[in-house]
Amino acid sequence: AASAWLILFATSCTDRDALDTVSPPLLKDAGSPISQIDAAPLAWRRGNTRSTLADAVGVWNDNIVRFCILAETSPPQESRIYAMASVVIHDVMNAVDRRYEPYVYGTPVTEPVSVEAAIATGTHDVLAAIGSTMPDPGPLEFIDEAYTEYLSALGVAGPITRGVQLGHDAAASLLASRQNDGSNGPPASLFVSSGEPGAYRPTLLPSPNGLTGLAALGTWGTVRTFVLTSADQFRPPPMYGASTVAEAVATPAYLADYAEVKRLGGVVSERTQEQSDIGLFWDENTVPGWNRIARTLGAQRHLDAWNLARLTAQVSLAIADGYISVFEAKYHYKFWRPVTAIRLGNMDASTPGDLTWDVATTAAGLGPTPPIPEYSSAHAVAASAAAEAIMANLDGPARFTVESATLPGKPRSFNSIADAVKENADSRIYIGYHFREATRIGTEQGRQIGQYVASHALQRIHTSRGPGL
């Protein structure tokens, strides 16, 4: 049952061909301005090619992506991996040159070290520790091989050795801080619905009466947060302002949302081609998708290694806490998904049910509705949280074009990060996964989470060059 849930839920991590579609190396333009601090020799490519420390951050960010593709984890589990690995990269760099507050590891470096070796070792150790607990040896084998090849190209000089030790120490501190954080709960567990109108009914392996079945990650809302004070710190208000789920489904706002998703979100619908493209484009897992957006904008701004590491770390922390928070809310409110409501006809004699209705993603081979309660939208929460972290790190307008693993060959362009956040939220209606209320409230919940993370984690200290470079 657990493996079935993983296959259904981890839509962005089931295609190993995606290993060839991860983000390209940053700062490809040879004319890009690069600070002297980032001009250290880096041998991550064959042939001891010189590059920048920002490239090292990008390379190991790519390795995080590749590791998760092989691991086939769910988005919430993947967000935890990204957060842990990205934080280690940030912490080792700030041990060498203290520009921002560390997340866990704060011991300063007093001798010259290879920052590249520290980044590689810290990231490897975190991913290897996670991979060693997985039943499939593929992710662990991948990261071990990538690390061995990378390190062998750096050599064995004293700074390399000290960089390796720095990476080991930072990773050990981070792993210790996340021990027993509640993330080892079952991927799926038995869920029994109350059966009243509006109450969540399992969509994965339900019983004949539809009231009992499996629901995913029912304990993820109890995972220890990374930055927030608690998972319910930004719990959203009750859906549609109602005190019970049964009252919620009788409100005019809900009935309007019900009609909208029924009309636009099914296999057979009134969607335009543009709306269909938006739905499929944003069906990609939020974790790599918004990480790609962050790195695209970082490359546009020619961020140096420290700023890039902080950007990706804050984005990853915001997404991770976003998933923990939204799962706390989902299992607190236990509201039903559109696919259930539409098939049951809203359990209202005046609303005819349609047992043939299904979400648009089934026709595209991207799977059914994720087997978790409705409110609020995890996709909207995680994207909005990531967007706030990006905007906190980058000044000025942000125009960008990005690709998606779930609509390959059709990149989309945006005039602002806010435009992307809105389109991301709307997409969940176009594929039938959510009522608009869940995306609207989820966007606001994510905004609060992202702003909190950006203002409380990895805060700026100074920009002077440290002695360890």
Side-chain angles (χ1 to χ4, degrees):
S3 61
W5 168 77
L6 286 172
I7 292 171
L8 289 173
F9 196 64
T11 55
S12 74
C13 292
T14 55
D15 183 2
R16 297 195 181 199
D17 290 340
L19 284 170
D20 296 325
T21 66
V22 295
S23 304
L26 295 176
L27 304 179
K28 294 187 294 183
D29 180 2
S32 299
I34 298 171
S35 72
Q36 290 300 311
I37 289 179
D38 290 327
L42 173 66
W44 65 271
R45 300 186 186 93
R46 290 181 177 85
N48 293 335
T49 305
R50 286 180 63 87
S51 188
T52 69
L53 286 179
D55 276 331
V57 175
V59 167
W60 283 93
N61 191 286
D62 276 345
N63 283 337
I64 300 169
V65 176
R66 292 169 183 260
F67 178 91
C68 288
I69 290 171
L70 291 171
E72 297 184 348
T73 56
S74 70
Q77 293 165 320
E78 188 170 343
S79 72
R80 177 178 177 269
I81 296 172
Y82 267 77
M84 292 172 65
S86 298
V87 159
V88 163
I89 293 173
H90 173 274
D91 276 4
V92 298
M93 297 190 69
N94 278 275
V96 174
D97 183 3
R98 184 63 57 83
R99 302 187 186 187
Y100 304 104
E101 291 285 355
Y103 182 78
V104 174
Y105 186 78
T107 303
V109 168
T110 58
E111 295 182 272
V113 301
S114 165
V115 185
E116 300 93 327
I119 290 171
T121 303
T123 311
H124 164 268
D125 285 5
V126 168
L127 296 181
I130 295 169
S132 66
T133 66
M134 295 177 173
D136 182 355
L140 179 59
E141 291 172 353
F142 160 72
I143 203 63
D144 281 348
E145 181 180 347
Y147 176 64
T148 299
E149 180 179 350
Y150 187 100
L151 206 64
S152 66
L154 292 180
V156 292
I160 305 295
T161 301
R162 289 190 288 273
V164 168
Q165 188 59 53
L166 170 59
H168 285 323
D169 293 344
S173 294
L174 188 279
L175 289 167
S177 76
R178 296 305 300 181
Q179 274 196 335
N180 303 316
D181 65 357
S183 61
N184 290 329
S189 54
L190 190 67
F191 185 96
V192 180
S193 174
S194 69
E196 66 180 317
Y200 178 68
R201 295 188 178 205
T203 59
L204 181 60
L205 303 180
S207 62
N209 66 7
L211 297 181
T212 303
L214 293 178
L217 287 181
T219 62
W220 199 260
T222 67
V223 172
R224 188 167 68 250
T225 51
F226 282 84
V227 183
L228 301 187
T229 59
S230 65
D232 63 356
Q233 183 177 353
F234 297 108
R235 179 191 289 167
M239 48 278 176
Y240 301 101
S243 58
T244 68
V245 293
E247 291 177 4
V249 299
T251 62
Y254 166 80
L255 293 173
D257 285 357
Y258 174 95
E260 179 186 38
V261 71
K262 183 177 181 181
R263 179 172 57 89
L264 296 177
V267 173
V268 178
S269 76
E270 300 176 18
R271 284 187 309 275
T272 65
Q273 184 60 53
E274 173 76 356
Q275 289 170 332
S276 291
D277 286 349
I278 289 171
L280 296 179
F281 181 92
W282 290 105
D283 192 50
E284 180 182 16
N285 179 356
T286 301
V287 187
W290 278 86
N291 184 277
R292 186 183 305 120
I293 290 172
R295 291 181 57 191
T296 296
L297 291 169
Q300 285 182 4
R301 308 300 176 88
H302 306 305
L303 295 187
D304 70 13
W306 274 259
N307 290 319
L308 179 61
R310 187 209 190 206
L311 169 64
T312 54
Q314 280 200 335
V315 167
S316 297
L317 289 168
I319 293 175
D321 272 359
Y323 273 116
I324 295 169
S325 298
V326 76
F327 270 73
E328 188 279 331
K330 284 178 178 291
Y331 284 97
H332 174 77
Y333 290 113
K334 303 182 182 71
F335 197 52
W336 66 10
R337 302 294 291 233
V339 67
T340 301
I342 294 169
R343 288 177 179 177
L344 292 177
N346 208 39
M347 296 180 69
D348 182 339
S350 65
T351 309
D354 182 356
L355 293 176
T356 68
W357 193 91
D358 206 353
V359 295
T361 50
T362 57
L366 294 174
T369 299
I372 52 178
E374 158 80 0
Y375 184 80
S376 57
S377 165
H379 216 68
V381 169
S384 184
E388 291 297 327
I390 293 171
M391 290 187 289
N393 280 271
L394 303 176
D395 296 326
R399 297 181 178 88
F400 59 96
T401 299
V402 287
E403 296 266 1
S404 167
T406 47
L407 193 67
K410 289 190 175 182
R412 297 190 66 80
S413 299
F414 302 93
N415 291 322
S416 69
I417 296 172
D419 287 347
V421 170
K422 181 181 185 305
E423 190 175 282
N424 171 87
D426 290 346
S427 74
R428 306 314 266 182
I429 296 158
Y430 301 149
I431 59 176
Y433 281 6
H434 282 297
F435 299 109
R436 185 169 292 278
E437 176 85 343
T439 67
R440 181 180 68 84
I441 297 298
T443 298
E444 174 59 22
Q445 184 183 3
R447 183 189 67 78
Q448 294 174 323
I449 292 167
Q451 288 183 353
Y452 186 90
V453 169
S455 62
H456 287 78
L458 320 182
Q459 298 306 290
R460 184 180 299 277
I461 299 176
H462 63 78
T463 58
S464 66
R465 184 173 178 174
L469 285 166

